[in-house]
Amino acid sequence: MQSGEGARGSRADQADQRRAELLDAARRVVLERGLAGTRVADIARATNVSGGLIHYHFATKDDLITEMLRSTTESEIQRLREIVDGPGTAVQRLDSVLRLCIPASRDDQGWILWLDAWAVGVREEHVRTILLEFEGAWIEILREVITQGVTLGEFACDDPQGAAERLDGMLDGLAIRYTLDAGNMSRSRLLHHARVAAAREVGLDPSVFPVS
């Protein structure tokens, strides 16, 4: 017979699993319908559960959307953190960060989600809060990579914070153009612009980055 502590642990695990399933469903529905167009009923339908069960785990739709966005940002930041703390030269780590932070393709689901969130975040504080947290974490990672390079003697930059902020703003703008298929902005061209800008910020020639 299962002990009281074991039963509580099992119920907690089941609740965590259900929450994870609801968050995954919320992300899928938002990518299909958009943040503004998503209803709790849509997420309930996607998971074949009642709206009441969703509200058992998340008091409001805003709570569910906030948690979905936060879990997505935490996953992306973790991937970036692994690069920063991983092996390689500062140039290699910077290049890896740049590659990860631009869209993989025009239908990159992560970028489509963030484009939608930026539009909604203008008016919705709970979305804006997550976006600001994500932007802050991304800028901090860029700053840390640049600072590491300066410490190792690979980079020359007297303002890593300012360099990170400038690169963040430029990459966001170029990624939006690329995702919207504006002009002749291919992914290779986007990566080239990112490398040129990053090289200038850290006192290097763009040729130090890989050819591909």
Side-chain angles (χ1 to χ4, degrees), residues 93-107:
R93 287 196 293 272
L94 178 57
D95 194 51
S96 294
V97 168
L98 295 176
R99 285 174 172 273
L100 188 59
C101 289
I102 64 175
S105 65
R106 284 197 169 86
D107 61 355

Side-chain angles (χ1 to χ4, degrees), residues 60-207:
T60 66
K61 172 193 163 182
D62 286 355
D63 290 339
L64 173 55
I65 295 301
T66 298
E67 188 60 31
M68 182 273 290
L69 291 173
R70 177 166 281 116
S71 67
T72 300
T73 63
E74 288 175 351
S75 175
E76 295 188 12
I77 292 301
Q78 178 59 34
R79 292 171 65 195
L80 289 165
R81 176 54 56 190
E82 290 171 0
I83 292 173
V84 175
D85 297 334
T89 65
V91 169
Q92 290 170 332
R93 287 196 293 272
L94 178 57
D95 194 51
S96 294
V97 168
L98 295 176
R99 285 174 172 273
L100 188 59
C101 289
I102 64 175
S105 65
R106 284 197 169 86
D107 61 355
D108 185 314
Q109 298 297 284
W111 263 94
I112 290 172
L113 177 63
W114 295 124
L115 286 176
D116 189 15
W118 282 336
V120 173
V122 172
R123 295 180 177 83
E124 300 291 340
E125 183 177 358
H126 65 287
V127 174
R128 182 166 62 251
T129 297
I130 299 298
L131 288 171
L132 292 176
E133 290 176 1
F134 183 48
E135 284 290 301
W138 154 233
I139 290 171
E140 172 58 23
I141 283 172
L142 265 178
R143 185 201 64 78
E144 187 171 340
V145 170
I146 294 170
T147 300
Q148 286 177 351
V150 172
T151 300
L152 293 170
E154 293 186 45
F155 298 162
C157 178
D158 59 4
D159 182 15
Q161 178 68 25
E165 291 170 351
R166 287 187 291 273
L167 286 172
D168 170 65
M170 185 212 68
L171 288 173
D172 283 349
L174 289 177
I176 290 170
R177 286 193 62 200
Y178 169 68
T179 303
L180 297 179
D181 198 9
N184 62 345
M185 185 61 67
S186 64
R187 187 177 190 276
S188 61
R189 186 172 177 80
L190 170 56
L191 180 58
H192 172 72
H193 286 324
R195 286 168 165 171
V196 168
R200 288 173 177 169
E201 290 288 356
V202 299
L204 298 176
D205 188 282
S207 64

